[in-house]
Amino acid sequence: MEEENVKQPLLERKYHENCPGCKVDQAKELSEGKGVPVTNLFIIWMVVLCAALPISSLFPFLYFMVRDFNIAKTEADISSYAGYVGSAFMFGRCLTSVLWGIIADRYGRKPVIVIGIIVVVIFNTLFGLSTSFWMAVIMRFLLGSLNGLLGPVKAYATELFREEHQALGLSTVSAAWGIGLIIGPALGGYLAQPVEKYPHIFPKDSFWDKFPYFLPNFIISAVAFVVVIGCIWIPETLHNHKCRNESIDNAETLKNGGNVAGKDKIIQKKENLLLNWPLMSSVIVYCVFALHDIAYQEVFSIWAVSPQRLGGLNFTTDDVGNVLSISGLALIIYQLIIYPYVEKASGPIVIGRISGMISIPLLQSYPFIALLSGLALYIVLSVASILKNLLSVTINTGLFLLQNRAVEQHQRGAANGISMTGMSLFKSIGPATGGAM
């Protein structure tokens, strides 16, 4: 009798009236066999893109921006100050990610997402208007600390899709994130200093000459403004009743032929997330690769535009934008078409291990790439950049899956907040150390 009581909730689907989370679950049940929900993919894509674009859009012009602040005593010191500006965003996010996760678990994913995008609109615009080093640092810090949507949006992506589409949903998060980290620098490279690059459109001694780094930030803020209006109509996935709804997910898993206690979906019933080893182990690995990623992103951009006498490639910001744009196109194709099949065939753990091992010799090859010149340099550097970004996103997507499958819905926001705190701490170290080097 007791055994029957244990098994019964796994197959029972009970929905509560006026509960937004139950409405989403009902919609998922009705969508069975109807294919991939493209609308939901688009929602996730645009929200994550708005969060990712401001993070790295400054890297191509940060060297020149700090130089124009006239705070560095020598040319070699510019990279150090640039590292402080770059790390301010991640340091701010490190301090508040858990708080935003808790708010998302208590009041819903949607409010945190909307607030986060509004913060992008305001503080990313103000960063483009920065006239001093400290103004730039403060704007980046506030942009990071008040924008807490990235953790909750991973929980949102998990809850918005059926079990068989969750890998695609989180793959979309990683794809949009990776594309944002690539398109952002491309926008920064193409649109910074428009008076020098496009004098026939932006005249000298105009507003654009006084604020040469405003245009890329304004474009990003304008996109975010459109998205925040669209977010008014996105659904809320958090249940507003005390009765837990794991039975719905478990029944769906069983119906799809899965095992509720499978090796990749181990839900811990403990309230203390820090004792949830499946969660914390994936968070630790995620933090290590986060440091690796942000250090690469900033060092790559600064290394590419630095003079050859300082060990750089002497690229223009347009050159950096070209390399990153090619990587972005390859990343879109891989994440939306290839990755879901790879994950289904091997699982997130195996493919993550393989990607991590391949990344080591790839990064070791960069000093030798710098010995090339001309067309050969562009081709080899573009191929290396494509491989680096594909491997990085493969690892991150697998870790996202493991983290969100390791906890129940009422803890997903906080769990992703812990993940974002650790990641942001490591990423705040990356630009600072990378710039100092």
Side-chain angles (χ1 to χ4, degrees):
M1 187 70 176
E2 184 178 349
E3 187 176 350
E4 291 180 0
N5 291 334
V6 173
K7 290 182 179 179
Q8 181 65 22
L10 293 178
L11 299 176
E12 183 182 355
R13 296 180 181 229
K14 182 179 179 181
Y15 299 112
H16 295 256
E17 191 176 357
N18 298 323
C19 172
C22 287
K23 291 180 180 178
V24 171
D25 288 338
Q26 282 183 301
K28 288 193 294 184
E29 183 179 358
L30 294 174
S31 67
E32 182 180 359
K34 294 183 179 180
V36 179
V38 178
T39 302
N40 292 345
L41 289 177
F42 182 74
I43 292 171
I44 297 296
W45 179 277
M46 293 307 300
V47 167
V48 177
L49 189 64
C50 288
L53 283 175
I55 294 177
S56 58
S57 61
L58 75 164
F59 289 152
F61 62 78
L62 184 56
Y63 180 91
F64 306 104
M65 188 181 203
V66 173
R67 182 196 63 186
D68 293 346
F69 289 150
N70 296 318
I71 191 172
K73 295 181 180 179
T74 65
E75 190 174 12
D77 291 336
I78 294 177
S79 296
S80 297
Y81 285 101
Y84 297 137
V85 177
S87 64
F89 178 94
M90 291 299 171
F91 179 66
R93 193 165 69 180
C94 170
L95 298 179
T96 61
S97 290
V98 174
L99 175 62
W100 284 114
I102 294 173
I103 292 173
D105 282 339
R106 187 163 189 174
Y107 299 104
R109 322 305 191 200
K110 182 176 177 178
V112 175
I113 290 173
V114 172
I115 292 172
I117 301 178
I118 291 174
V119 167
V120 170
V121 174
I122 296 173
F123 291 101
N124 190 61
T125 302
L126 292 176
F127 173 72
L129 297 173
S130 296
T131 55
S132 67
F133 170 76
W134 287 110
M135 180 180 177
V137 170
I138 292 172
M139 291 303 104
R140 292 292 293 179
F141 175 81
L142 292 175
L143 180 60
S145 60
L146 298 179
N147 180 7
L149 73 83
L150 187 58
V153 83
K154 288 187 286 185
Y156 187 74
T158 303
E159 297 158 1
L160 199 58
F161 294 94
R162 291 179 56 84
E163 177 78 18
E164 64 267 28
H165 297 313
Q166 283 182 0
L168 180 60
L170 285 172
S171 176
T172 302
V173 172
S174 294
W177 179 255
I179 293 299
L181 295 183
I182 292 172
I183 295 179
L187 289 173
Y190 289 133
L191 300 180
Q193 300 171 317
V195 174
E196 297 179 12
K197 296 175 182 176
Y198 315 107
H200 56 289
I201 300 177
F202 303 95
K204 195 171 181 59
D205 298 325
S206 63
F207 172 86
W208 308 103
D209 194 18
K210 183 177 180 181
F211 301 100
Y213 311 105
F214 175 71
L215 183 58
N217 292 281
F218 173 73
I219 295 297
I220 293 171
S221 297
V223 172
F225 180 76
V226 174
V227 172
V228 78
I229 294 176
C231 283
I232 297 174
W233 294 278
I234 67 174
E236 174 61 68
T237 60
L238 187 67
H239 294 272
N240 60 11
H241 50 83
K242 294 183 179 180
C243 179
R244 297 181 180 177
N245 281 60
E246 292 85 34
S247 58
I248 296 172
D249 293 333
N250 292 341
E252 189 176 283
T253 303
L254 291 173
K255 190 171 183 178
N256 291 329
N259 184 355
V260 176
K263 63 180 181 179
D264 287 338
K265 183 168 183 173
I266 305 173
I267 296 181
Q268 300 290 322
K269 300 295 182 181
K270 298 177 181 178
E271 293 294 331
N272 191 342
L273 292 175
L274 299 179
L275 299 179
N276 184 334
W277 178 242
L279 169 67
M280 296 309 299
S281 60
S282 62
V283 168
I284 292 171
V285 177
Y286 181 49
C287 291
V288 173
F289 278 100
L291 173 61
H292 165 274
D293 282 347
I294 197 67
Y296 170 83
Q297 290 160 9
E298 177 159 351
V299 170
F300 175 82
S301 295
I302 294 179
W303 168 64
V305 300
S306 296
Q308 289 182 333
R309 58 190 172 81
L310 297 178
L313 301 179
N314 201 32
F315 275 19
T316 64
T317 53
D318 284 346
D319 294 331
V320 177
N322 290 334
V323 173
L324 296 177
S325 297
I326 295 171
S327 300
L329 178 61
L331 188 61
I332 293 175
I333 296 172
Y334 172 75
Q335 279 294 110
L336 297 182
I337 299 177
I338 301 174
Y339 177 80
Y341 296 100
V342 174
E343 189 276 333
K344 187 176 181 179
S346 63
I349 297 177
V350 173
I351 190 62
R353 288 172 178 169
I354 295 173
S355 300
M357 289 187 290
I358 297 176
S359 297
I360 297 173
L362 177 63
L363 291 175
Q364 294 297 318
S365 69
Y366 272 74
F368 302 99
I369 294 175
L371 300 177
L372 302 174
S373 61
L375 182 61
L377 174 61
Y378 277 101
I379 293 175
V380 175
L381 188 62
S382 296
V383 171
S385 178
I386 289 171
L387 290 175
K388 167 65 184 65
N389 284 287
L390 295 186
L391 295 172
S392 176
V393 169
T394 298
I395 295 169
N396 289 337
T397 304
L399 292 171
F400 291 167
L401 282 167
L402 294 175
Q403 289 166 16
N404 283 278
R405 289 175 177 176
V407 293
E408 300 171 2
Q409 188 195 47
H410 72 284
Q411 289 185 312
R412 278 186 189 138
N416 282 287
I418 293 174
S419 173
M420 294 306 300
T421 296
M423 180 269 279
S424 300
L425 177 61
F426 275 66
K427 283 196 172 185
S428 67
I429 296 171
T433 55
M437 294 169 63

